[in-house]
Amino acid sequence: MEKKTEQIREMLSFVIPCYGSELTIEAVVEEIRETMAGRPEYKYEIILVNDSSPDQVWQVLKRLAMEDDRIKSVNLARNFGQHGALMAGYQMAVGDYIVSLDDDGQTPANEVFSLLDHLREGRYDLVYGVYDHIQQTAFRRFGSWVNEKMSEMMIDKPKGLKTTSYFVARRFLIREMLRYQHSYTYIGGLIFRSTQNISTVPVKHRKREVGHSGYDLKKLFSLWFNGFTAFSVKPLRAATVIGVLCALFGVLFGIYTVIKKLVYTTQIDAGWSSMIVAVTFIGGMILFMLGIVGEYIGRIYICMNQAPQYVIREIVSQEAVQAAPDS
């Protein structure tokens, strides 16, 4: 009887960032309700975060919150990106386990207990739901592949570990992630710097029925660069290595020119073309390295000015409709 009481006290917090999901978010919420009804030993809450979506999703989120006391809807003051919206939702979550999933219905909410049961049985800190076959465009698949490889190189992601936006984490891990107060948020970096006790469970990735992905090339590049500069100094080290290689190339090319002059008695070409190429190449690399250093300095400056991860304009629930303080 005591064990059953302990199980009843455990709660799941579903955190869902919403952007362009006016036509899909209700189906996601309903799927969560149906799934949780099959496991009555768990309580749950659903935190829906509107990341300043251009459609009417906020009206839908407000209505859902007023119809169900287990739902809290959060409206951000502007678009802070998926990771900023997740941090806003994590801040409000009170569950023993936090579930992150998408708002477009592609992530199977009805498989959440496959992740949770695996997490509990293996005593893992976090379990990702990974897809055997991804229902995405070739561009998005390529972007995901690049993200995986660069994460392994830059932020010490375990080699071969697949990651997605669908995962279940223990509360202590989310609490540790919330200690990060700077504006450049990257969920993967926060996870990997906190734990390596991570596992995966295969789940089905559904085909997108409505709309399209909110990530274009610009947003994907910004996300990658954000994660690597916020949680790794390896780009600076890479710049140092490139600088050394360029200098070595210059020395070797100079030695080659001297030897060529001594060996060949005929007049050799002054080499204006090769000189221009060398100067352009080395100058470009110097500017590239200065750009990386400048990016780090700029981010330090912005963080010193305490730019927020997110700003909450409004929170709607059955308990209260209130203006939230600045994050």
Side-chain angles (χ1 to χ4, degrees), residues 160-179:
L161 175 70
K162 294 183 178 180
T163 62
T164 66
S165 58
Y166 186 27
F167 60 82
V168 178
R170 295 184 183 274
R171 180 168 179 77
F172 89 90
L173 180 59
I174 300 300
R175 187 167 57 245
E176 177 63 26
M177 292 166 61
L178 288 172
R179 291 179 56 198

Side-chain angles (χ1 to χ4, degrees), residues 234-264:
K234 289 183 179 179
L236 290 175
R237 293 172 182 168
T240 302
V241 172
I242 293 172
V244 171
L245 291 177
C246 288
L248 182 61
F249 171 78
V251 171
L252 294 176
F253 188 77
I255 294 174
Y256 165 76
T257 303
V258 172
I259 293 175
K260 186 176 180 180
K261 178 68 174 177
L262 294 175
V263 171
Y264 294 98

Side-chain angles (χ1 to χ4, degrees), residues 151-213:
S151 295
E152 290 178 3
M153 292 187 294
M154 296 293 186
I155 57 176
D156 298 324
K157 183 178 78 69
K159 192 172 183 179
L161 175 70
K162 294 183 178 180
T163 62
T164 66
S165 58
Y166 186 27
F167 60 82
V168 178
R170 295 184 183 274
R171 180 168 179 77
F172 89 90
L173 180 59
I174 300 300
R175 187 167 57 245
E176 177 63 26
M177 292 166 61
L178 288 172
R179 291 179 56 198
Y180 182 82
Q181 297 295 317
H182 302 301
S183 55
Y184 295 100
T185 307
Y186 187 64
I187 298 299
L190 292 171
I191 290 171
F192 299 134
R193 79 171 189 173
S194 302
T195 183
Q196 295 285 303
N197 191 21
I198 300 170
S199 186
T200 61
V201 168
V203 297
K204 181 180 179 181
H205 194 240
R206 299 166 179 164
K207 184 177 180 180
R208 183 186 293 273
E209 299 294 338
V210 180
H212 55 83
S213 172

Side-chain angles (χ1 to χ4, degrees), residues 31-257:
E31 184 176 22
I32 292 173
R33 289 170 174 154
E34 293 175 357
T35 302
M36 296 305 299
R39 295 289 292 269
E41 68 269 26
Y42 289 98
K43 296 187 293 183
Y44 71 96
E45 64 175 356
I46 303 174
I47 301 171
L48 306 172
V49 184
N50 174 37
D51 191 23
S52 192
S53 179
D55 60 6
Q56 298 300 312
V57 69
W58 176 237
Q59 303 303 321
V60 177
L61 301 189
K62 287 197 295 183
R63 176 170 53 79
L64 289 172
M66 297 310 297
E67 292 173 352
D68 192 334
D69 61 0
R70 293 165 298 194
I71 296 177
K72 298 176 184 176
S73 292
V74 182
N75 191 25
L76 300 187
R78 68 171 179 82
N79 181 258
F80 287 89
Q82 180 184 23
H83 293 223
L86 283 170
M87 292 294 280
Y90 294 159
Q91 188 68 53
M92 299 187 61
V94 299
D96 302 286
Y97 304 97
I98 286 76
V99 183
S100 291
L101 70 160
D102 294 338
D103 59 342
D104 54 15
Q106 288 192 273
T107 50
N110 60 353
E111 296 189 50
V112 64
F113 286 106
S114 297
L115 278 65
L116 180 59
D117 293 342
H118 184 66
L119 179 140
R120 296 189 53 155
E121 291 170 3
R123 304 303 300 172
Y124 296 108
D125 299 328
L126 182 144
V127 172
Y128 284 102
V130 298
Y131 315 120
D132 293 331
H133 180 68
I134 301 178
Q135 298 286 344
Q136 290 179 337
T137 63
F139 169 73
R140 279 304 308 277
R141 289 197 297 270
F142 174 75
S144 299
W145 179 82
V146 172
N147 184 59
E148 295 287 336
K149 295 302 178 184
M150 295 187 73
S151 295
E152 290 178 3
M153 292 187 294
M154 296 293 186
I155 57 176
D156 298 324
K157 183 178 78 69
K159 192 172 183 179
L161 175 70
K162 294 183 178 180
T163 62
T164 66
S165 58
Y166 186 27
F167 60 82
V168 178
R170 295 184 183 274
R171 180 168 179 77
F172 89 90
L173 180 59
I174 300 300
R175 187 167 57 245
E176 177 63 26
M177 292 166 61
L178 288 172
R179 291 179 56 198
Y180 182 82
Q181 297 295 317
H182 302 301
S183 55
Y184 295 100
T185 307
Y186 187 64
I187 298 299
L190 292 171
I191 290 171
F192 299 134
R193 79 171 189 173
S194 302
T195 183
Q196 295 285 303
N197 191 21
I198 300 170
S199 186
T200 61
V201 168
V203 297
K204 181 180 179 181
H205 194 240
R206 299 166 179 164
K207 184 177 180 180
R208 183 186 293 273
E209 299 294 338
V210 180
H212 55 83
S213 172
Y215 278 106
D216 54 19
L217 181 60
K218 180 181 178 181
K219 289 184 177 180
L220 283 173
F221 182 80
S222 176
L223 179 64
W224 298 335
F225 201 73
N226 178 32
F228 307 145
T229 54
F231 297 96
S232 175
V233 296
K234 289 183 179 179
L236 290 175
R237 293 172 182 168
T240 302
V241 172
I242 293 172
V244 171
L245 291 177
C246 288
L248 182 61
F249 171 78
V251 171
L252 294 176
F253 188 77
I255 294 174
Y256 165 76
T257 303

